[in-house]
Amino acid sequence: MNDTLYWVMLKQEGKKIIAYSIGLALYDWIITWIYPIIIQSPDIEEIPKCFPSAVKRVFGVATGEEVDLSYEAYISAQLFGRLWTLLISFYGVNAANALLAQPMEQGFMAYPLSAPASRTEILNTQIGVLLTELVVVIGTTLGGIYAATAHFEIKIARWQYVRLGILAFSLSLAISAYSLLLTLLFDTAEESERYASALTFAFYGLDVVSSLSDRLSGLKYLTPFGLFRPQEILQKKTMPTRGFVILGVISGVTLILAGILFSRKDLVV
């Protein structure tokens, strides 16, 4: 990895990382602050029953007769179930585009390649920056939840959130990996980002549709989002080991293919 390039690219991405991190941390505090107020309402158990089962399934909320008022069910519905998943996924698409597609299109990649550094070293550096970004954004979200729940004296199983964070990192890395691959298959940054976004949205849509009913549940096996079930992990109903392995394999294979393409791509030096 090229240390100089790493810090240059990380500085370039700095404002975006800070903006996402602060925004997520503030959102964590707001929804955690609201939680104690909500559960004290005398009508709270009746509100979830007003929503159709399909809606509750889409947001990863239990559909049984008994209303789950736990913080884990709440945070899954308000953050992890859909909003955060989509946010970190498209963050990965955008980061991959900014780290590889845009430098190649603008000719910036010619400078590090003209130095005594191999293409493998350059690509590994960009991947290193990407990994750093994902760790910071996901870590900030978890840190915000830890701080907010401690402040409002809400007890949580912290280790379960670590597991969820690792799975979220695996998911966002898999999406970032195929986004990097697409940057090498198309000539412009606009094209690669458009196709990566479309593919990500298609995967996300399949996951949403698979949640609507048991008849459509098989669609979750066609999308990486189907491996991310926050409430089940937070409430210790399932272990995310299978998701780690599958997403890790997807990321590894895709990044290897990206490395092969990058080594062969015609770049102006």
Side-chain angles (χ1 to χ4, degrees):
M1 192 167 77
N2 188 297
D3 291 340
T4 302
L5 178 61
Y6 173 84
W7 291 111
V8 168
M9 298 305 298
L10 196 60
K11 182 178 180 181
Q12 178 178 300
E13 292 287 283
K15 290 184 179 178
K16 181 174 67 177
I17 297 171
I18 293 172
Y20 270 82
S21 298
I22 293 176
L24 287 169
L26 287 175
Y27 187 72
D28 290 342
W29 274 82
I30 291 171
I31 59 177
T32 303
W33 167 62
I34 294 173
Y35 174 70
I37 300 173
I38 291 177
I39 62 172
Q40 290 173 8
S41 170
D43 299 322
I44 184 59
E45 293 192 15
E46 299 301 320
I47 295 175
K49 295 178 182 179
C50 300
F51 295 98
S53 295
V55 174
K56 290 188 284 186
R57 287 167 63 107
V58 164
F59 285 91
V61 180
T63 56
E65 291 296 323
E66 185 177 349
V67 177
D68 190 346
L69 299 179
S70 67
Y71 180 77
E72 284 67 32
Y74 172 77
I75 200 70
S76 295
Q78 298 298 324
L79 178 63
F80 292 128
R82 289 299 169 196
L83 174 64
W84 190 61
T85 310
L86 192 63
L87 185 65
I88 62 171
S89 298
F90 280 100
Y91 182 94
V93 171
N94 180 263
N97 188 69
L99 291 170
L100 204 58
Q102 290 179 7
M104 288 192 298
E105 184 177 356
Q106 296 168 1
F108 170 76
M109 195 59 70
Y111 293 101
L113 288 174
S114 63
S118 67
R119 291 196 178 198
T120 300
E121 183 180 352
I122 299 302
L123 181 61
N124 288 343
T125 302
Q126 302 300 75
I127 293 173
V129 176
L130 175 63
L131 295 178
T132 303
E133 290 189 52
L134 297 179
V135 168
V136 171
V137 171
I138 293 172
T140 301
T141 303
L142 298 183
I145 288 175
Y146 289 163
T149 51
H151 179 78
F152 294 107
E153 299 181 349
I154 300 170
K155 293 183 178 180
I156 61 172
R158 298 194 174 207
W159 178 241
Q160 297 305 115
Y161 287 83
V162 173
R163 288 176 174 169
L164 181 67
I166 296 172
L167 184 61
F169 173 81
S170 302
L171 173 63
S172 57
L173 178 58
I175 293 168
S176 301
Y178 70 63
S179 299
L180 279 175
L181 182 62
L182 288 173
T183 66
L184 298 167
L185 293 175
F186 294 97
D187 295 328
T188 66
E190 182 181 353
E191 273 188 302
S192 61
E193 187 168 23
R194 182 169 65 245
Y195 282 105
S197 298
L199 182 58
T200 302
F201 190 77
F203 282 144
Y204 183 80
L206 282 174
D207 185 49
V208 171
V209 172
S210 72
S211 302
L212 294 176
S213 71
D214 292 332
R215 291 182 302 170
L216 300 171
S217 61
L219 293 175
K220 67 182 179 182
Y221 298 111
L222 301 178
T223 167
F225 288 100
L227 298 167
F228 191 74
R229 292 294 180 262
Q231 188 172 347
E232 295 178 8
I233 296 171
L234 293 179
Q235 296 185 324
K236 305 179 184 179
K237 295 179 180 179
T238 184
M239 288 292 291
T241 308
R242 176 171 166 270
F244 295 155
V245 173
I246 295 175
L247 292 171
V249 170
I250 293 173
S251 300
V253 171
T254 309
L255 289 176
I256 289 172
L257 290 175
I260 294 172
L261 283 177
F262 188 65
S263 66
R264 298 178 179 178
K265 190 172 180 66
D266 184 20
L267 298 170
V268 178
V269 180

